[in-house]
Amino acid sequence: MSARLSHPSAPLTRRGFNHLVVGAGTAGAIGLTAACAVEPEEVEQEPADSDEPIELNFIWWGDAGRAEVTEAALDLYRADHPNVTITTEYQDSGPYKDKLATRIAAGDAPDLMAIRRDQLREYGDRGALADLRTIEAMDLAGLSEPVLAPWDVNGQLIGVPAGLNTIGFIIQTTVLDEYGIDLPDGDTWTWDDLATMANAITAASGGSIYGTAYEMATVANLYVWVRQHGEDLYTEDGQFGASEATIQAWFDFADEMRQAGGFPPAGFFDGTTSAAEASYIAQGRTASQIIPTNNFKSYNEACGGTLALLRIPGESTAPRRGQSIDCPHLWSISSQSSYQAQAAELLSFLTNELAAWEAMGTTRGVPPNAAVAEGLLPNLEADDVTATEYILGLQAEDLPPAFADPVGATEIQSKLADVAVEVEFARITSADAAAQLVATANDVLAG
Amino acid sequence: MSTSTAPSTTAPTPAPARRVGAAGRGTPRRRNEKAAYIFLLPWFVGLLFTLIPFGASLYLAFTDYNLINNPNWIGLDNFEEMLTDEDLLQALKVTGIYTFVGVPLSLLAALGVALALNKGIRGLKYYRAVYYLPSLLGGSVAIVMLWRYIFGNQGIVNAVLAFFGIDGPSWVSDPQYALSVLISLHVWTFGSPMVIFLAGLRQIPIMYYEAASIDGASRWRQFVSITMPLLSPILFFNLVLALIGSLQTFTQGYILSGGTGGPSGSTLFYNLYLYIEGFQRFDMGYASALAWLLLMIVAMFTAANFLMSRFWVFYDN
């Protein structure tokens, strides 16, 4: 670092210094934002029956385990389609979403991709995703109307579920047994039952285990709470449908448990990973939490195989059902792809082919094709059977509809995360938090 | 640099005029300059690849570019939006605190360690390397993750505090403390200014100190009257670079908060906010405008720094 200087007592002259600084400093500030624009115009398509060698790029998020089973399914497809080369990439979900944005902006969109529910319309409304109904090679016959309806936006089907999913309450039964607390009935329990159980666990364990701990800022949890209050977080026409009172109650309920001991104190959640092994319930620091049901197997394995999977409380007593099939994970085809027919054929294989699901299992949820789901059931491991039956049971009931999150949902989620922390640390009241969230949401959605 | 700047209207070549001030060292100096430009060549080539994005970014700052559709010209709307943007205010606050607390602390640490290492202790090279190491690692993902664990609820810091009977806060998840975790990381990476300070200290002729001690000047007096003035250009250099670097902090906040700037915006660095607007909220036009505002802020602080330097930086030439 030290330059050799001509005069020993002048480490740096003024002019020499100025020269040094001019280039060094500010160059980095601007470079971040440059990208090129994509013209959303018709892209020339390779015919569906073409035998020409083509290359499909297919990307998703997830861990190495998910990648392994997905590749196994793809290998089946590759064997039948020698002219199709499938290149794949996968990443953790956070960086995945940032990278996808960059790739699409750079005009380098993958042909087939996984998209988060809360980002589907961010891409779809801007014309980045193909209308799957217009692609002849796309086989949608096995998917029921309720499965497809949420992703049918402005008359265009811009995604199909990569797996049916919802959330569930997992409870560590060994903790209940240890303290002689009864396992609630998952079909009929209420939020008050949850509070009673949670407070009892914390008290019985002398505070070493918290009865329950679920993320206040996870939107999938909030969907259910809001629906049970007779509202929708996002309505069908893309508005923010939750009232301040409902949001405030969401914060207040957890806060009451926190006061009573059943819910951990402020700052408890500081985990760096979403891995099941590192979860608080696997570490024995909490006795129950909410998870997406496709993760049940990994949680149960991490927790010694003694978890019970219950429905979200209040389902039998609330004015309206809260649980729905809330798929967080969808497949979409790029409107910029020249191989939409080929991508659709691959997507049809991944959606409707039992052999593909036998290779993949339920890592992304239950097959959206009911016949495939039924055929898969005998081949699943016990934990996946539990989660699959949970979904199939719900599906047989009359559930409220789910809707794709409107454009701007990402920003509303950051606000939810912010106010949740502010309430947790008692820096603002729950009423203020609710008012701020509703105001921000309305502001963002207004345009 | 006392080279004559008089226009050489009469001299056939500039060389003789230059010799006047440079005391006959014109030729090696010119050779040095040539060498310098050759070394700078990669930078000039890189400049081309920087200028194009610069231009694109400037254009996009006046558009509603959303990453997917073609940008539409919206004039000054993006800049108008900044006036009422509360997140921007928060980002400026976080970056400001980080800079105006972190930079002085890290420079103090750097100067302190440099002074200690300048005493001709044995194994200087070893110590220099050890203290420099964090600078190389500080911006890396792994170190920020490590910091997260150290300051986590179950981390070493709270374990040590618990040993003394103190119930430590949730450093990482409490909005009151999260930024201080990153400031401590900033201070810890004092290595590169330290190495520059050390080089500067070694340039100060020992005879000044000898003369001063013969005159009976105390150690403190020597530090104030000899070390600080002669080191002031180095301090200024470090200050300018640290300030610019600090205003552009990104990685630390991104990793600590998982890309959100949380808890509750407490680590929402300016560049992180810009990134969130551009890549997560699909408002690249606004993000580009933010980038230009940052450039102006950095330029303003740097200019102010240079102006103020006239009053405290001493060039002994």
Side-chain angles (χ1 to χ4, degrees):
Chain A
M1 283 302 277
S2 64
R4 274 183 51 189
L5 298 149
S6 51
H7 196 288
S9 64
L12 207 55
T13 62
R14 188 187 299 272
R15 190 178 301 179
F17 177 75
N18 290 358
H19 282 238
L20 201 55
V21 166
V22 164
T26 52
I30 297 298
L32 203 58
T33 60
C36 3
V38 182
E39 186 78 52
E41 61 192 14
E42 288 293 307
V43 180
E44 199 180 319
Q45 293 297 315
E46 184 78 16
D49 54 0
S50 160
D51 286 334
E52 294 294 310
I54 62 146
E55 190 178 305
L56 285 181
N57 185 231
F58 172 33
I59 67 170
W60 66 86
W61 74 82
D63 59 8
R66 177 175 288 172
E68 199 179 312
V69 297
T70 309
E71 287 290 348
L74 292 177
D75 283 342
L76 298 175
Y77 189 81
R78 289 178 177 120
D80 278 348
H81 299 79
N83 65 319
V84 180
T85 307
I86 306 170
T87 59
T88 61
E89 283 165 48
Y90 70 92
Q91 272 175 306
D92 204 27
S93 62
Y96 175 86
K97 104 180 146 13
D98 296 358
K99 188 173 175 185
L100 182 62
T102 320
R103 282 193 60 175
I104 290 186
D108 180 31
D111 300 290
L112 177 60
M113 67 199 111
I115 292 205
R116 290 158 58 108
R117 169 190 176 145
D118 55 11
Q119 292 208 307
L120 185 74
R121 290 193 58 183
E122 302 266 12
Y123 291 105
D125 283 21
R126 292 166 178 141
L129 306 178
D131 178 0
L132 299 175
R133 282 217 177 84
T134 63
I135 308 175
E136 225 168 277
M138 186 70 221
D139 177 9
L140 298 165
L143 306 180
S144 67
E145 189 47 32
V147 164
L148 293 180
W151 327 115
D152 198 337
V153 182
N154 304 327
Q156 295 198 318
L157 184 68
I158 49 179
V160 294
L164 301 183
N165 224 325
T166 185
I167 55 171
F169 230 103
I170 50 173
I171 301 179
Q172 180 55 280
T173 54
T174 55
V175 174
L176 296 181
D177 293 345
E178 187 178 349
Y179 301 115
I181 297 165
D182 289 335
L183 179 69
D185 177 349
D187 290 338
T188 58
W189 72 326
T190 64
W191 289 95
D192 286 338
D193 293 338
L194 168 66
T196 308
M197 179 196 79
N199 296 337
I201 291 170
T202 308
S205 72
S208 67
I209 304 174
Y210 290 102
T212 193
Y214 50 85
E215 298 266 9
M216 303 304 296
T218 296
V219 76
N221 303 348
L222 192 54
Y223 288 143
V224 177
W225 176 270
V226 173
R227 285 199 201 104
Q228 286 189 353
H229 285 72
E231 300 161 357
D232 284 303
L233 189 62
Y234 301 115
T235 61
E236 190 168 13
D237 58 354
Q239 297 301 307
F240 193 76
S243 64
E244 287 184 24
T246 302
I247 303 286
Q248 186 185 345
W250 170 245
F251 290 125
D252 284 344
F253 181 75
D255 201 50
E256 278 161 27
M257 281 197 291
R258 187 178 282 131
Q259 305 293 336
F263 203 87
F268 177 82
F269 289 104
D270 73 340
T272 50
T273 159
S274 54
E277 295 77 21
S279 65
Y280 297 104
I281 192 166
Q283 294 170 9
R285 296 174 61 204
T286 61
S288 67
Q289 75 172 87
I290 298 176
I291 58 160
T293 47
N294 62 321
N295 291 343
F296 179 69
K297 181 165 172 258
S298 51
Y299 272 89
N300 204 19
E301 280 169 1
C303 294
T306 47
L307 293 183
L309 177 64
L310 270 53
R311 290 186 176 180
I312 302 301
E315 284 290 282
S316 64
T317 50
R320 184 188 182 208
R321 290 295 298 272
Q323 292 210 261
S324 188
I325 307 301
D326 289 308
C327 304
H329 197 149
L330 301 138
W331 295 130
S332 295
I333 292 175
S334 166
S335 62
Q336 299 303 301
S337 166
S338 307
Y339 306 120
Q340 289 177 8
Q342 288 78 7
E345 200 178 316
L346 173 58
L347 177 52
S348 300
F349 169 81
L350 291 173
T351 306
N352 301 316
E353 200 62 54
L354 181 59
W357 283 92
E358 281 170 350
M360 289 191 293
T362 50
T363 173
R364 296 184 182 86
V366 174
N369 180 324
V372 175
E374 211 169 293
L376 185 65
L377 208 49
N379 301 320
L380 292 175
E381 289 179 46
D383 286 343
D384 283 337
V385 171
T386 308
T388 303
E389 282 177 343
Y390 179 91
I391 296 250
L392 294 178
L394 277 174
Q395 249 190 317
E397 298 166 23
D398 190 17
L399 301 178
F403 305 114
D405 301 19
V407 171
T410 316
E411 192 169 346
I412 298 168
Q413 278 180 40
S414 346
K415 186 65 185 181
L416 171 62
D418 285 355
V419 295
V421 168
E422 297 286 329
V423 173
E424 182 182 349
F425 286 93
R427 288 152 59 107
I428 59 175
T429 65
S430 56
D432 284 346
Q436 283 185 29
L437 180 65
V438 172
T440 301
N442 287 334
D443 195 39
V444 168
L445 295 177
Chain B
M1 273 281 211
S2 49
T3 312
S4 165
T5 52
S8 53
T9 43
T10 52
T13 65
R18 233 181 230 190
R19 281 217 178 89
V20 176
R25 293 186 296 123
T27 316
R29 162 156 299 197
R30 244 192 325 190
R31 201 183 296 145
N32 278 347
E33 279 177 11
K34 209 186 282 171
Y37 284 116
I38 290 172
F39 278 116
L40 280 171
L41 202 60
W43 184 80
F44 283 114
V45 174
L47 188 65
L48 280 180
F49 293 101
T50 316
L51 283 178
I52 297 166
F54 256 60
S57 162
L58 182 60
Y59 165 66
L60 291 175
F62 297 94
T63 70
D64 63 354
Y65 182 48
N66 65 15
L67 283 181
I68 296 164
N69 302 130
N70 282 341
N72 296 311
W73 185 266
I74 54 168
L76 289 171
D77 284 9
N78 285 328
F79 294 92
E80 221 176 285
E81 190 184 333
M82 289 176 186
L83 299 175
T84 54
D85 184 350
E86 283 176 27
D87 289 346
L88 173 60
L89 209 62
Q90 175 68 13
L92 286 169
K93 196 177 120 194
V94 167
T95 312
I97 294 173
Y98 180 78
T99 300
F100 292 107
V101 177
V103 167
L105 285 178
S106 75
L107 288 185
L108 268 178
L111 181 58
V113 175
L115 285 170
L117 290 184
N118 196 36
K119 297 225 188 305
I121 49 171
R122 268 202 298 173
L124 172 66
K125 279 182 187 165
Y126 169 73
Y127 286 113
R128 202 166 48 192
V130 165
Y131 285 114
Y132 184 64
L133 210 55
S135 293
L136 297 176
L137 303 172
S140 74
V141 171
I143 291 297
V144 185
M145 291 300 287
L146 177 68
W147 230 251
R148 250 196 103 123
Y149 283 107
I150 290 175
F151 282 91
N153 286 341
Q154 315 280 309
I156 302 177
V157 171
N158 277 355
V160 171
L161 287 177
F163 181 78
F164 292 104
I166 302 167
D167 192 11
S170 310
W171 298 98
V172 175
S173 50
D174 189 334
Q176 213 180 326
Y177 299 104
L179 187 58
S180 60
V181 169
L182 290 181
I183 291 176
S184 77
L185 177 60
H186 188 174
V187 175
W188 183 64
T189 57
F190 59 76
S192 50
M194 178 206 74
V195 168
I196 299 171
F197 275 135
L198 205 51
L201 286 170
R202 309 198 113 201
Q203 303 281 355
I204 300 173
I206 195 97
M207 59 186 181
Y208 291 175
Y209 294 104
E210 286 167 359
S213 52
I214 290 167
D215 288 344
S218 68
R219 275 291 174 91
W220 175 247
R221 187 66 208 242
Q222 289 178 25
F223 177 74
V224 170
S225 302
I226 300 172
T227 311
M228 277 322 285
L230 290 177
L231 201 60
S232 62
I234 297 288
L235 178 62
F236 178 49
F237 175 81
N238 276 331
L239 182 67
V240 169
L241 283 197
L243 203 68
I244 294 172
S246 174
L247 289 169
Q248 295 184 49
T249 305
F250 172 77
T251 315
Q252 290 86 334
Y254 181 87
I255 300 298
L256 191 82
S257 70
T260 64
S264 193
S266 58
T267 61
L268 187 67
F269 287 98
Y270 192 99
N271 259 347
L272 179 54
Y273 177 53
L274 183 161
Y275 177 88
I276 289 173
E277 280 291 336
F279 290 100
Q280 295 180 1
R281 297 182 184 167
F282 297 81
D283 200 348
M284 191 54 86
Y286 189 58
S288 300
L290 286 173
W292 281 90
L293 177 65
L294 178 62
L295 180 74
M296 286 184 269
I297 293 172
V298 170
M300 210 177 65
F301 274 111
T302 308
N305 221 338
F306 272 86
L307 284 176
M308 287 195 297
S309 75
R310 291 169 198 276
F311 302 106
W312 64 273
V313 177
F314 172 71
Y315 293 96
D316 177 30
N317 51 7

